[in-house]
Amino acid sequence: MDKFNKEPLVYILLASYNGGKYIEEQINSIVLQTYTNWILLIRDDNSSDDTVTIIESFIRKDQRIKLIEKGVENNSKGACQNFASLLNVAVQEKASYMMFADQDDYWFPEKIDKMIKGIDKDLNPAMLYSSFLYADDNLKILPEHVQKIKSSFLKPSFNRLIVQNTVYGCTMMINYSMAQKCLPIPQEAENHDYWITLVATGINASISHLDIPLMLYRQHGNNVTGSFNDHSNFSRVKRFFTGWSNMKKVQLKKNKMLDIFAKKMKSELLPQNLELIEGYLKWIKYNNIQLIIFCVANGIKRFSFLSTIVFYFTLCSLPKTRQIS
């Protein structure tokens, strides 16, 4: 905590890569926050556009903004490990609270203020996440029927997280204890937010939700987490017929992440969660019928009937001796 400021110091972690088109609007939205006791840590993943130039222009005007590893030719890490590097720095600096910012979104002015007031102030691991509004490339809020798609992301539970992530990192605030539990984030993690939410639900951390939109989640062709269109039934059916090979590769990678997660967190998971994930990992290697029975009995499914059927079909199609090898 800043000795001149009794408000907790919040670390905002922003991973950038070729974000010159959008990043100025995002950083401006952070600078204009009503809550002012923050540090914005940025790590750039070797952008080839004017991203770093834009970041440096803000640094000259605001000492709260810092570009880490500046002047070093970084190895390309990808978004997940870029955020993991930032989280490592924040933990090393004993940050009390951490938030994650995507380079292409836009924060409402009271985002930090409302989240710092809402997060559990106990020293035990805690995660708070807010709602958001989908917006188009120009930050125009998309229609109400689009906004309803995100309802499936509002209730993270460990059994559902075995299948898919349900909380976006750009909506999160975590405390120091939670961050410690998450590190190191392995190379096999699908996304930093997926890993963090798995840990939080797996160890029964304090998880709460602010059911108010605190940011615009910009939709465009290069979203790392994915477009709202990815969650429509049409898109799921289309992927089933046109992207079958890729779907299997994604699931194999996810199974590898879950295997690493189970081993790393074994001593800290709630007994029922350890039993759940170990049972799942057991049956995906050996028996399709038992696998489906196990998933149905334990609520391991997606948020719609159709996507659950596709998920089960994908699991059963994977080679049993290679899934997590």
Side-chain angles (χ1 to χ4, degrees), residues 139-270:
L139 293 180
K140 180 181 178 181
I141 296 174
L142 292 171
E144 182 62 27
H145 74 275
V146 174
Q147 307 301 335
K148 291 180 180 178
I149 294 172
K150 65 180 180 289
S151 62
S152 63
F153 297 104
L154 299 184
K155 297 179 181 179
S157 61
F158 190 71
N159 56 342
R160 292 286 183 90
L161 282 162
I162 288 176
V163 182
Q164 64 185 134
N165 186 28
T166 57
V167 180
Y168 288 152
C170 56
T171 69
M172 285 181 181
M173 174 181 280
I174 62 174
N175 65 359
Y176 177 76
S177 297
M178 185 72 245
Q180 281 187 306
K181 296 290 185 183
C182 295
L183 293 176
I185 298 177
Q187 294 282 345
E188 292 81 4
E190 186 173 295
N191 286 300
H192 67 289
D193 47 14
Y194 196 169
W195 184 264
I196 291 168
T197 310
L198 270 172
V199 173
T201 55
I203 67 174
N204 196 31
S206 171
I207 303 174
S208 49
H209 174 237
L210 279 178
D211 193 14
I212 51 175
L214 294 178
M215 56 168 285
L216 298 179
Y217 181 30
R218 193 195 304 256
Q219 300 294 286
H220 55 84
N222 297 318
N223 287 95
V224 172
T225 307
S227 164
F228 70 88
N229 288 313
D230 293 339
H231 306 291
S232 68
N233 285 332
F234 174 77
S235 293
R236 287 164 177 151
V237 172
K238 182 179 178 182
R239 288 197 299 272
F240 181 77
F241 287 105
T242 64
W244 180 239
S245 177
N246 185 62
M247 286 175 60
K248 291 197 290 184
K249 288 179 182 178
V250 169
Q251 190 61 51
L252 283 167
K253 182 179 179 180
K254 185 174 294 185
N255 290 347
K256 179 65 175 178
M257 175 188 71
L258 293 171
D259 184 54
I260 291 171
F261 172 82
K263 292 172 181 174
K264 179 182 184 298
M265 300 299 299
K266 184 172 185 176
S267 63
E268 303 207 48
L269 292 176
L270 294 180

Side-chain angles (χ1 to χ4, degrees), residues 27 49 53 80 135 172 204 208 239 243 279 286:
I27 298 178
D49 64 358
T53 300
C80 179
M172 285 181 181
N204 196 31
S208 49
R239 288 197 299 272
Y286 296 120

Side-chain angles (χ1 to χ4, degrees), residues 35-93:
Y35 189 96
T36 59
N37 196 31
W38 50 261
I39 289 176
L40 174 59
L41 288 183
I42 306 173
R43 183 187 182 281
D44 186 75
D45 203 12
N46 293 323
S47 292
S48 58
D49 64 358
D50 60 348
T51 298
V52 173
T53 300
I54 295 170
I55 294 168
E56 289 175 336
S57 72
F58 277 98
I59 291 172
R60 287 192 291 270
K61 295 180 289 186
D62 195 324
Q63 63 181 2
R64 297 173 297 177
I65 302 172
K66 305 177 187 301
L67 182 62
I68 69 169
E69 301 183 23
K70 184 176 180 292
V72 178
E73 187 66 24
N74 303 318
N75 292 323
S76 180
K77 289 178 176 287
C80 179
Q81 288 304 308
N82 202 356
F83 275 113
S85 296
L86 287 161
L87 191 60
N88 272 307
V89 173
V91 168
Q92 289 169 10
E93 297 187 7

Side-chain angles (χ1 to χ4, degrees), residues 258-303:
L258 293 171
D259 184 54
I260 291 171
F261 172 82
K263 292 172 181 174
K264 179 182 184 298
M265 300 299 299
K266 184 172 185 176
S267 63
E268 303 207 48
L269 292 176
L270 294 180
Q272 61 267 35
N273 289 338
L274 178 61
E275 182 179 358
L276 186 68
I277 195 167
E278 287 187 337
Y280 172 81
L281 291 168
K282 169 187 174 182
W283 291 118
I284 59 174
K285 291 187 289 185
Y286 296 120
N287 188 292
N288 285 335
I289 295 176
Q290 289 296 329
L291 170 61
I292 300 305
I293 292 173
F294 183 86
C295 287
V296 171
N298 290 282
I300 300 175
K301 60 182 180 179
R302 290 184 176 269
F303 283 91

